Amino acid sequence: MDINLPLFLFLSISFNYMGHWNLVSADDTLIKTQCHNAEDPKACIQCVKSDPQSQSADKVGIAAIVITCISNKAVTLESNMTVLASSVHDNKLKLVLQDCQKEFSDAKTNLTTAMDRLKNKDYDQTNYLVNHALQKEFYCKNNVGDLQYTLPTTVLNDMTLYEELSEAAMRIIDRFLWV
């Protein structure tokens, strides 16, 4: 079946008012393709589309955007743990929440290094570092749970999103290894 190339290009490319060409349908398709294997594709897609650079991102750029979203969640969770630790009176719980704060700070460092590895096309190391940052969240959640403390819903929701985006990033990057 022959494809009318000029018609295809006309339908696939839109011209925006700033004088730049955007591959609108291709961008959405690429984002959906990269995020479709995630446990929660909607969270991945929402993260990617929240970044203005997503319109011109390739698959590595999409992975970088997802890692940035995870890193932003790590900063939020680190701050939340600091606030929670300052408001509790139980010393054991305070220490665990302070430890969580440190874990999320360390996770942020891992994610910054993961971005460097991604840019250098060291995908194994990128995944290792994203996974390492994810393990820090699990460690925190388990330690808080061991004390029978229930985190606020907003914090739990942020932790769930952190997990979902970490898993999505690793799945996206995994596909780079098999190309």
Side-chain angles (χ1 to χ4, degrees):
M1 178 170 146
D2 290 338
I3 296 177
N4 183 332
L5 188 59
L7 178 60
F8 175 77
L9 290 174
F10 176 76
L11 295 174
S12 299
I13 299 174
S14 70
F15 186 74
N16 72 18
Y17 296 108
M18 300 302 288
H20 301 290
W21 292 91
N22 290 323
L23 296 173
V24 175
S25 62
D27 294 339
D28 285 344
T29 301
L30 182 60
I31 292 167
K32 288 176 185 170
T33 299
Q34 293 305 306
C35 289
H36 89 279
N37 283 330
E39 280 183 35
D40 186 356
K42 286 194 303 188
C44 178
I45 291 167
Q46 184 177 354
C47 157
V48 174
K49 287 189 172 186
S50 72
D51 189 314
Q53 294 181 4
S54 67
Q55 289 301 308
S56 60
D58 60 6
K59 62 185 181 178
V60 175
I62 289 171
I65 291 169
V66 176
I67 293 172
T68 298
C69 289
I70 301 163
S71 188
N72 291 341
K73 276 295 165 211
V75 170
T76 299
L77 288 163
E78 177 186 4
S79 176
N80 288 340
M81 295 304 161
T82 301
V83 170
L84 289 171
S86 69
S87 66
V88 298
H89 301 292
D90 180 288
N91 284 337
K92 281 185 181 178
L93 180 57
K94 183 182 288 286
L95 289 173
V96 166
L97 292 170
Q98 288 171 339
D99 192 40
C100 285
Q101 177 271 325
K102 183 183 179 326
E103 292 295 330
F104 283 113
S105 176
D106 291 347
K108 172 78 169 95
T109 301
N110 286 333
L111 294 165
T112 299
T113 306
M115 286 290 268
D116 292 338
R117 296 297 190 269
L118 181 66
K119 289 175 187 171
N120 290 323
K121 300 180 182 180
D122 185 352
Y123 304 130
D124 278 329
Q125 193 65 23
T126 303
N127 258 2
Y128 171 80
L129 290 161
V130 171
N131 186 50
H132 202 302
L134 177 59
Q135 296 310 311
K136 293 182 176 297
E137 187 269 346
F138 288 148
Y139 175 81
C140 172
K141 188 183 277 187
N142 289 337
N143 287 346
V144 170
D146 287 347
L147 294 177
Q148 305 295 310
Y149 179 72
T150 303
L151 292 164
T153 304
T154 55
V155 174
L156 288 172
N157 289 343
D158 280 343
M159 292 175 98
T160 299
L161 186 55
Y162 182 92
E163 292 170 17
E164 290 170 347
L165 292 174
S166 297
E167 177 269 331
M170 290 185 291
R171 288 186 182 193
I172 289 169
I173 296 162
D174 273 345
R175 289 199 303 272
F176 302 165
L177 300 169
W178 303 106
V179 176

